[in-house]
Amino acid sequence: MRISTSVSIKTLIALGLVGASGIASATASSTQAAAAAAAQPSNNPGLVAGLLTTTGAATAATIGSTVGAIAGSAAAGGGFGGAQSALPAGVTRLALPGQGGTGAAAAPGGKAWNAWFAASQNTVSYDYAPLQSSGKVRVGLIGVDYTFRNNIVAGMAIAADKSDINLNFVGGKLTGKGTTYSPYVGIPLNKNWSADMSVGWGKTTVDTEVTGITGRMTDNRRTASLGMSYRQMAGNDNKWMLTGRGSYLAVRDKLGAYTMSNGTFVPDASVSLSQLRFGGQAAYNAGVFVPYAGLNYIYDVSAPSQAGAANDRDAFQAVLGLKFSVPSGFYGGLQYSSELNRSQIKNNQIMLNLGARF
């Protein structure tokens, strides 16, 4: 049986095209799998420290500054409060020598219970090539605390977080949702000084999607914060309040092992971040409204290093805000902050808080 040359050539060409297509498909599949693997948080601890851990740091820092302000209001005997809380004018929260008044819980108008809410959005980006990423981290916080007769403030805060990060270096997406529980305590030491402590534990589910390949992991998070605050009234009419604060916070993310949708196994990993924060703030009492401005210095005591990245260890954070307080015990404020000098990590935050004493 004879087969024409033209038919044989066409057949060979067709078979060759099928083979080339298979090789190209395998190459593309291999490239996609490599890109998906590179986008997994466990494979990039520096990326996690720059982006994912922002959630835990934002939660710990917000709780710490809030508790510091609550305890600071008590330490100062009322006035117009701290960065996150304020007391109605003329209310004395605790009795200190030379200040008059009765105990915190017993003082007329000095309501012992306090409930507060804070919502923040951090716009973040990681500009190190080849891991460029950007997105938003949103954190919602609710807290309730009680001021005891010995002037110690104790309470519980619950945080819900949501992360939406574009993995620009692979055209993928990272999303996360989680909850953190944080008991806290604030201790007024005298009319100027107060201390605050909080610990937190929670769980976040993190999803990645790159070129159709998906992965899901569980992040067990631990946070801790320890701070000291100093407040001083200034000016002939005591319209100015100067505040200084130092704090230490730590965040640890334990990333569980998982298998991506293409069968690739990703092992577990741990990422830890600890920071020292020092800052000052000036606020002016204009009555119901209190504008304020501040500058903080942030130093990363420990953080994972990414090969080839700048791995900046410190940053300055500028803060601008406006808070209000009314005699009924309702208070709140709006604050904007920006980290100024990290060369490859951007982190800008806007935060709203509301609270009431009852």
Side-chain angles (χ1 to χ4, degrees), residues 26-90:
T27 302
S29 176
S30 176
T31 301
Q32 290 173 348
Q40 301 311 303
S42 296
N43 294 332
N44 287 297
L47 181 68
V48 175
L51 296 175
L52 192 62
T53 306
T54 299
T55 305
T59 300
T62 301
I63 292 174
S65 58
T66 300
V67 180
I70 293 169
S73 288
F80 49 95
Q84 268 71 46
S85 67
L87 286 173

Side-chain angles (χ1 to χ4, degrees), residues 6 8 20 31 37 46 74 83 85 140 142 150 168 199 207 214 229 233 238 246 251 267 273 283 286 312 355:
S6 62
S8 299
T31 301
S85 67
I142 58 172
N150 62 0
N168 303 323
V199 295
D207 293 285
T214 60
S229 299
M233 307 301 292
N238 280 339
V251 182
L273 173 71
D312 298 323

Side-chain angles (χ1 to χ4, degrees), residues 1 92 215 218 239 268 330 353 357:
M1 179 176 171
T92 300
T218 299
K239 289 288 188 179
D268 61 5
F330 182 63
N353 75 282
R357 299 185 180 275

